[in-house]
Amino acid sequence: MSLQIISIILGSLTLASALMVVLSKHPVRSVIYLVITFFLITSMYIMMNAQFLAVVNMIVYAGAIMVLFLFVLMLLNLNKEVEPMATRGSQLAAFIAGGSLFLVLITALKDTLILGQSYRENHSQIGLVKELGNLLFSKYIVAFELTSILFIAAMVGAILLAKREKQIIE
Amino acid sequence: MDTALLIEKSILVLLLFLVSLGAAAYMTYFERKLAAWIQDRVGPDRAGPFGILQPIADGVKMFLKEDFIPAKADKWLFIIGPGIAMFTALITSAVVPWGPKLHLFGRDIVLQVADINIGILYVFGVISIGVYGIMIGGWASNNKYSLYGAIRASSQMISYELAMGVSAITIVLLSGSLSLTTIVEGQSEVWNIFYQPVAFLIFFICALAELNRAPFDLPECESELVGGYHTEYSSMKLGLYLFAEYTSMFVSSAIMAILFFGGYNFPGMSHFSGNTLAVLGILAFASKIFIFIFVIMWIRWTIPRFRFDQLMHLGWKSLLPLSLINLLVTGLVIAYKNGWF
């Protein structure tokens, strides 16, 4: 019972901080709200006894990606005057794109609600590192390896772009 | 959860909090004394015998100074910055196993606040969010020197985290567990340093960089950046930043002792048992931490600072490839031992 209350409080806090990401006027503040959102999601993972996922979420999203976001924003020094104004067309496009993503997410979430319930009852250890490792390296091995190839391709691409620019300067 | 466990853990948390703060306070004294000895001076000797009350005098001074917030600073973030720095410095100690089990009042007391099965990842998670304290504080000050300091700190910490993580993975491969308790227990015979000297060297260098200690103290390099990320800070906010640095030095010395030097294990451990063993274990662990702190300070007063491009080269072009090769070799040896070839 008390667990349920905590989940409800955490969930509403997550939604509130996620909303503040969009609503807050200052880009750096938005990023900080996003970091808070990731922390709240981490706490949700812990509530579900998925310690490994929780910590990985913390390291990768809150610790690495958001630091880079903040890094770039601090260097850009964005303010009202230099902020590019969105045209009516791009606003409409953003609305349609965001709306369709939202629809897809809702249809996806409708099934996980039922699936998650039965999963949690049968496998309370599913989020721990041993179970996750076994699953990743047996059932999902192809997807796992393909993802790593994708990452390496992206990394090589980024390095190539950075190198080419340097040659032009020289 | 039963009440006795709750009380036990609360007392442990309180003790850890006080010990970390006390250790950090007396590390400032020790550092000043050590610097004095290295430079053939006397060091602080006015407050109390041998200047032993100097940290308390410093603390009182910090509290009594004027607390100033620059007019153009982002007020809330300016206040939050030092808080995050101190918070992240303190919470790492929650997963550290401080000694073998104590037996008191008919109960076995585990000297660790939380034995989570991903202890080492938790440590890395906390390290990776530790950079926010410096970044937010430096940016919110609205001062170019602070911003430079913050940007240096974050790029340095991101770069060195990688090599540090990879060298820690070798230890995970050796012990077959992410839990710090299991890692310590696995070293009761042979310490990990004898299997992994290269990983230790990389880990130690990276820890110096993560701590912003010399020779990697570019974020607060006074000859270029006035005071670095805390240029605009005063009073206890500045105190918290400096304090956080010493607290994380204490905790990271503990982590290094756990990963490579056997934690609370010491030679001849099998001759003792019960509470004697626990007390001796704690003492062994404390002396290892002390030695690490001493070495870190010794390096600061011996080696000059790196240039920033040298720092980046060292991190990305030397330490990271070296740690990857080390990881590969370790993995191959372990696979060979398990009969894969």
Side-chain angles (χ1 to χ4, degrees):
Chain A
M1 188 57 211
S2 62
L3 274 180
Q4 211 161 20
I5 294 171
I6 296 172
S7 323
I8 291 169
I9 293 171
L10 280 178
S12 33
L13 278 177
T14 316
L15 281 180
S17 64
L19 267 179
M20 283 309 289
V21 176
V22 190
L23 295 178
S24 118
K25 288 267 186 285
H26 200 287
V28 171
R29 292 226 166 154
S30 287
V31 170
I32 287 164
Y33 278 117
L34 196 53
V35 175
I36 296 172
T37 313
F38 281 130
F39 270 104
L40 289 164
I41 292 172
T42 302
S43 63
M44 294 252 202
Y45 278 131
I46 293 172
M47 297 280 294
M48 287 188 266
N49 201 24
Q51 299 176 353
F52 180 71
L53 283 182
V55 167
V56 167
N57 188 55
M58 189 161 103
I59 294 176
V60 175
Y61 287 97
I65 295 180
M66 294 326 289
V67 169
L68 289 178
F69 265 53
L70 210 57
F71 196 85
V72 172
L73 279 178
M74 283 177 180
L75 283 177
L76 284 181
N77 190 23
L78 287 177
N79 48 36
K80 270 253 152 60
E81 290 89 65
V82 294
E83 199 179 327
M85 285 297 289
T87 59
R88 193 47 66 82
S90 67
Q91 276 177 351
L92 191 73
F95 179 75
I96 293 170
S100 14
L101 182 67
F102 188 62
L103 272 180
V104 171
L105 275 181
I106 282 182
T107 37
L109 283 178
K110 213 181 80 206
D111 293 337
T112 49
L113 210 63
I114 310 154
L115 200 76
Q117 203 69 20
S118 66
Y119 227 62
R120 211 183 308 168
E121 276 156 14
N122 299 330
H123 314 257
S124 62
Q125 307 282 306
I126 195 69
L128 301 185
V129 58
K130 203 170 177 181
E131 310 299 319
L132 204 74
N134 277 337
L135 264 185
L136 273 184
F137 284 98
S138 57
K139 195 174 170 188
Y140 300 111
I141 178 78
V142 181
F144 183 72
E145 295 295 337
L146 280 179
T147 320
S148 64
I149 291 171
L150 201 68
F151 271 121
I152 287 186
M155 258 149 68
V156 170
I159 291 170
L160 201 71
L161 282 176
K163 277 240 157 165
R164 199 174 284 167
E165 206 153 307
K166 205 175 168 188
Q167 275 169 353
I168 291 170
I169 292 167
E170 278 167 6
Chain B
M1 197 193 279
D2 63 326
T3 329
L5 188 71
L6 199 67
I7 294 170
E8 178 192 311
K9 292 290 182 200
S10 316
I11 291 172
L12 196 61
V13 168
L14 190 68
L15 261 179
L16 270 182
F17 179 67
L18 293 177
V19 167
S20 314
L21 289 187
Y26 271 88
M27 273 155 72
T28 60
Y29 169 74
F30 182 60
E31 170 130 48
R32 291 174 67 179
K33 273 288 182 194
L34 198 74
W37 291 330
I38 287 176
Q39 298 169 347
D40 201 16
R41 292 186 282 121
V42 180
D45 69 338
R46 295 291 106 180
F50 307 108
I52 202 95
L53 299 175
Q54 187 67 42
I56 298 164
D58 283 342
V60 171
K61 185 198 82 174
M62 282 288 186
F63 270 112
L64 295 180
K65 287 269 180 177
E66 186 195 353
D67 189 19
F68 183 76
I69 298 179
K72 287 231 173 157
D74 192 318
K75 195 174 164 227
W76 286 109
L77 294 181
F78 190 79
I79 295 171
I80 290 168
I84 298 175
M86 197 66 211
F87 173 73
T88 51
L90 282 171
I91 59 173
T92 325
S93 57
V95 293
V96 173
W98 297 94
K101 274 182 197 133
L102 259 180
H103 197 74
L104 283 181
F105 313 116
R107 291 175 54 84
D108 275 336
I109 298 176
V110 181
L111 292 176
Q112 185 182 22
V113 177
D115 181 18
I116 48 178
N117 60 9
I118 37 135
I120 189 166
L121 286 180
Y122 170 85
V123 172
F124 276 95
V126 174
I127 291 171
S128 67
I129 58 169
V131 66
Y132 281 116
I134 292 174
M135 267 183 111
I136 288 176
W139 181 81
S141 304
N142 205 0
N143 173 321
K144 61 185 167 192
Y145 296 115
S146 301
L147 186 65
Y148 269 127
I151 285 168
R152 278 187 180 189
S154 40
S155 52
Q156 171 179 332
M157 282 167 119
I158 294 168
S159 311
Y160 279 76
E161 231 164 63
L162 289 171
M164 197 180 190
V166 173
S167 57
I169 290 174
T170 54
I171 298 302
V172 174
L173 277 180
L174 275 183
S175 346
S177 171
L178 291 165
S179 148
L180 290 179
T181 319
T182 323
I183 291 175
V184 170
E185 278 165 3
Q187 296 178 72
S188 55
E189 312 259 300
V190 188
W191 295 351
N192 280 337
I193 176 80
F194 298 111
Y195 294 123
Q196 290 293 343
V198 181
F200 168 68
L201 206 65
I202 296 167
F203 196 92
F204 184 69
I205 295 171
C206 294
L208 284 181
E210 293 282 323
L211 289 169
N212 295 330
R213 290 287 300 190
F216 303 106
D217 58 344
L218 287 130
E220 44 195 309
C221 151
E222 61 277 351
S223 50
E224 297 167 22
L225 294 182
V226 189
Y229 59 88
H230 52 56
T231 304
E232 294 284 358
Y233 279 89
S234 58
S235 182
M236 205 51 208
K237 292 202 191 72
L238 174 67
L240 276 182
Y241 267 129
L242 303 179
F243 229 60
E245 202 174 296
Y246 280 96
T247 313
S248 24
M249 207 162 117
F250 173 68
V251 175
S252 57
S253 299
I255 298 292
M256 281 189 282
I258 287 169
L259 292 183
F260 296 95
F261 285 84
Y264 52 74
N265 290 308
F266 55 94
M269 215 179 156
S270 50
H271 301 298
F272 302 98
S273 65
N275 281 351
T276 339
L277 176 73
V279 172
L280 283 176
I282 296 170
L283 285 180
F285 191 41
S287 43
K288 283 171 196 173
I289 295 175
F290 179 78
I291 291 169
F292 269 117
I293 290 172
F294 170 73
V295 172
I296 292 174
M297 287 177 178
W298 187 15
I299 289 173
R300 172 171 176 188
W301 297 103
T302 311
I303 300 176
R305 198 176 276 140
F306 276 103
R307 228 171 43 218
F308 203 72
D309 59 324
Q310 289 171 333
L311 173 109
M312 284 294 153
H313 275 264
L314 181 72
W316 288 101
K317 293 188 178 167
S318 313
L319 292 181
L320 186 60
L322 197 64
S323 60
L324 283 173
I325 292 168
N326 188 44
L327 174 67
L328 192 70
V329 171
T330 313
L332 284 176
V333 169
I334 288 173
Y336 179 74
K337 272 193 170 170
N338 292 347
W340 278 31
F341 306 117

